[in-house]
Amino acid sequence: MAIAPGARGTARPATTHPHPATAGHPTVLTGATVVLPTGTVENGRLTVDGTRIAATPPENAEVIDVTGHYVVPGFVDLHNHGGGGASFTSGSVDDILKGIHTHRLHGTTTLVASTVTGDLDVLARRAGLLSELAEQGEIAGIHFEGPFISPCRKGAHSEELLRDPDPAEVRKLIDAARGRAAMVTLATELPGGLDSVRLLAERGVIAAIGHTDASYEQTVQAIDAGATVATHLFNAMPPLGHRAPGPITALLEDDRITVELINDGTHLHPAALRLAFRHAGADRVAFITDAMDAAGFGDGRYWLGPLEVEVTDGVARLVADGTIAGSTLTLDRAFKRAVTVDGLSVEDAVTALSATPARLLGMDDTIGSLEPGKSADLLLLDSAFDLKGVMRRGEWVVGPQLG
């Protein structure tokens, strides 16, 4: 596996156990607890025919008994910088594919590739490369996180490369993505911020408020201008105050906003996560990884854009000052934590990991839930909510591990 220059890490190759059935052969999963949009069905049955979920099984379907397991939709990650030792910002095509595959092994069947702050021309070239992978169906789009963010809330972004969100420069990036730009994170209080939000809304690109030092009032203005997402709510923005409620309050109280949450136990206290869920509801929460290269790979030294990162015990921090630098999270871990630590229902966790992000991407007609006609993207989880199988477009990425 490739790793960023100068990085070190312990590779942890994922082991898969493909089911012997021929790829694309009609399959019926029986005996499972199936999580559907209409509710959870005990002792349920789900049929896959080709790349799609089918209403009724064909006569030649193979039956697999998955009693004692949950069947849930494949996870959808809106915000992901890499994994498996590879960076979506700087890796080769082969590296990027390895990173995508790493997250598929952990249940993410749909992924938006995120970049980090860099030189505008470099980001434009990267957008061109990533757009080709989007056209091939490997990723669902491109998310530009930076360089249009606040130096006051830069997090693990290079301050020297930050810039105000000039609409002409924002347009340059989304044009370079050739129709595959999914989202741009902006500090909307900066000069050009509101005009850039309006531009993105007109072009059908999600405008996300993040890495921001905005006030409550400024955030309301950005929402009214067309912003629809809060980039990793609570992180890289002013804290909620009773006299200065700041962006968190504005983002939570407005039904037009979907809030991203990083549920790794490091970025958020469980009480903060529960606060967001109780106020916004699962239909407005999208769990993300914000993963960097080390996800699914191991501790060591890595690069996040031009900044060096040390990963220790699975927590990524900048070598220079200890700032948290993305995560090593995978969405299967986010799901398990949601139901076993945070006390969320399985149904709410599924909504936040599948249905809500699919809807936000405008892809809920094909992914995000288990319904006839939709893509056969599904996961098997055991009673402890550990991942035991991954199917993407009707083919097992990780075959059923039922023993």
Side-chain angles (χ1 to χ4, degrees):
M1 283 188 177
I3 192 166
R8 68 178 188 272
T10 303
R12 298 177 181 174
T15 301
T16 62
H17 302 280
H19 194 270
T22 303
H25 188 80
T27 302
V28 180
L29 304 177
T30 64
T33 300
V34 184
V35 182
L36 302 173
T38 54
T40 298
V41 177
E42 303 289 341
N43 193 27
R45 182 180 71 178
L46 188 138
T47 300
V48 174
D49 192 358
T51 64
R52 301 286 174 178
I53 297 170
T56 56
E59 292 182 2
N60 63 337
E62 178 190 17
V63 177
I64 303 176
D65 186 350
V66 292
T67 299
H69 292 73
Y70 288 85
V71 178
V72 304
F75 300 144
V76 181
D77 195 353
L78 294 170
H79 186 156
N80 187 317
H81 298 280
S87 166
F88 297 151
T89 297
S90 59
S92 67
V93 171
D94 285 345
D95 294 337
I96 295 168
L97 291 172
K98 288 176 182 177
I100 294 167
H101 186 64
T102 295
H103 286 282
R104 286 180 187 166
L105 294 174
H106 291 277
T108 297
T109 52
T110 301
L111 178 150
V112 173
S114 302
T115 62
V116 296
T117 293
D119 176 83
L120 204 66
D121 289 335
V122 172
L123 288 174
R125 289 196 295 273
R126 176 58 37 164
L129 183 151
L130 290 171
S131 69
E132 293 179 8
L133 293 174
E135 289 161 6
Q136 296 165 15
E138 298 292 345
I139 60 175
I142 305 164
H143 164 217
F144 297 101
E145 187 182 23
F148 310 115
I149 60 176
S150 171
C152 302
R153 304 286 174 176
K154 66 183 186 299
H157 291 254
S158 175
E159 185 167 356
E160 293 75 16
L161 295 171
L162 299 181
R163 54 211 301 145
D164 291 339
D166 181 339
E169 294 187 339
V170 173
R171 184 183 295 108
K172 176 178 178 177
L173 285 188
I174 59 176
D175 285 347
R178 301 201 303 257
R180 301 294 178 169
M183 182 162 63
V184 179
T185 292
L186 306 161
T188 54
E189 75 279 9
L190 296 177
L194 294 181
D195 285 340
S196 292
V197 169
R198 295 184 187 102
L199 167 68
L200 293 168
E202 290 169 2
R203 296 286 293 270
V205 179
I206 297 165
I209 300 171
H211 288 276
T212 177
D213 203 41
S215 66
Y216 172 87
E217 291 77 13
Q218 289 171 322
T219 305
V220 169
Q221 286 183 317
I223 297 170
D224 288 340
T228 56
V229 166
T231 294
H232 43 54
L233 186 75
F234 298 109
N235 299 117
M237 59 183 63
L240 189 155
H242 66 291
R243 292 192 181 92
I248 293 171
T249 302
L251 294 164
L252 278 177
E253 72 179 3
D254 198 304
D255 289 343
R256 293 172 289 181
I257 293 292
T258 299
V259 298
E260 295 180 347
L261 298 176
I262 308 171
N263 192 23
D264 61 353
T266 298
H267 281 78
L268 294 175
H269 189 284
L273 181 140
R274 290 193 295 269
L275 173 68
F277 257 92
R278 287 174 183 169
H279 203 85
D283 290 337
R284 287 181 49 218
V285 171
F287 280 136
I288 60 165
T289 60
D290 195 15
M292 46 79 71
D293 310 17
F297 198 72
D299 288 355
R301 288 281 179 103
Y302 297 82
W303 293 92
L304 188 60
L307 304 179
E308 193 171 15
V309 176
E310 178 81 41
V311 179
T312 304
D313 296 330
V315 178
R317 296 183 181 275
L318 292 183
V319 171
D321 61 11
T323 298
I324 293 175
S327 85
T328 63
L329 185 63
T330 53
L331 285 184
D332 58 336
R333 287 168 45 209
F335 181 94
K336 182 169 182 174
R337 181 177 178 85
V339 295
T340 63
V341 175
D342 303 313
L344 300 183
S345 68
V346 171
E347 293 82 1
D348 278 353
V350 165
T351 298
L353 281 155
S354 302
T356 297
R359 173 181 48 78
L360 193 65
L361 291 172
M363 299 177 68
D364 51 329
D365 58 335
T366 57
I367 63 169
S369 60
L370 302 177
E371 298 176 84
K374 289 193 175 183
S375 182
D377 295 354
L378 59 88
L379 312 176
L380 292 178
L381 305 166
D382 65 15
S383 59
F385 304 106
D386 290 319
L387 192 65
K388 296 299 180 181
V390 179
M391 178 181 284
R392 182 175 184 269
R393 298 181 181 175
E395 296 188 13
W396 292 108
V397 179
V398 178
Q401 302 174 31
L402 306 176

